[in-house]
Amino acid sequence: ALIRSSKYKCYVWALLAAPTVMFVGCRYGKTRDTVLTSIPNSGHTYRATILRRQYLLDNGMEDASATTYVLLDKDKGTPSYVYDQDFDTGSVVMRPSQCGPLKLQWTNDQTLKIICEQCGLALDSLGNHANRIGSIEIEYEGFPAKSSYE
């Protein structure tokens, strides 16, 4: 299904076979944000989101490199973030670059696992990453001890 909003030039793709998988994208201001996945914990108190932010150049063209964010926020039923504004540093779990595809999994109501598939970069090579945000523990899986280039 494709849903458009003329006010924000947004679109939503929802896979009917898997209702928990949704793609949201918006062009508003100087970025285009695409939610790759967003899942609440079982108690629906927190929501983890993987979002890709593409920066737009002055001529309206997209910058060649997108930035991936893993975000953790209180669950409001859908991903909640303001387009074209920086994210609250307390909600950014990690901002990996040059990383393989990521998946999110809640192992229990208080533990979020970030899984990297086909990851060639060590977790420490990806930059800052949280081990805990508030009461939520963050675990990482699939990241090698050393990067493939080391």
Side-chain angles (χ1 to χ4, degrees), residues 8 21 24 26-27 45 48 51 70 76 89-91 98 101 108 110 133 139:
Y8 296 109
V21 177
V24 180
C26 288
R27 282 184 187 262
T45 53
L51 178 136
V70 179
K76 297 178 183 171
T89 56
S91 70
Q98 302 175 0
N108 62 50
Q110 298 294 309
I133 293 182
E139 297 177 345

Side-chain angles (χ1 to χ4, degrees), residues 34 36 49-55 65-71 87 92-102 126:
T34 303
L36 302 177
T49 302
I50 299 174
L51 178 136
R52 174 184 282 159
R53 175 165 278 183
Q54 190 84 33
Y55 291 91
S65 59
T67 303
T68 300
Y69 290 86
V70 179
L71 306 169
F87 300 110
V92 177
V93 177
M94 66 186 306
R95 194 176 125 180
S97 61
Q98 302 175 0
C99 180
L102 298 174
L126 296 175

Side-chain angles (χ1 to χ4, degrees), residues 37-41 46-50 70-73 104 106 112:
T37 188
S38 185
I39 57 172
N41 62 357
Y46 285 91
R47 174 172 291 276
T49 302
I50 299 174
V70 179
L71 306 169
L72 180 66
D73 297 294
L104 301 172
W106 288 97
L112 172 65

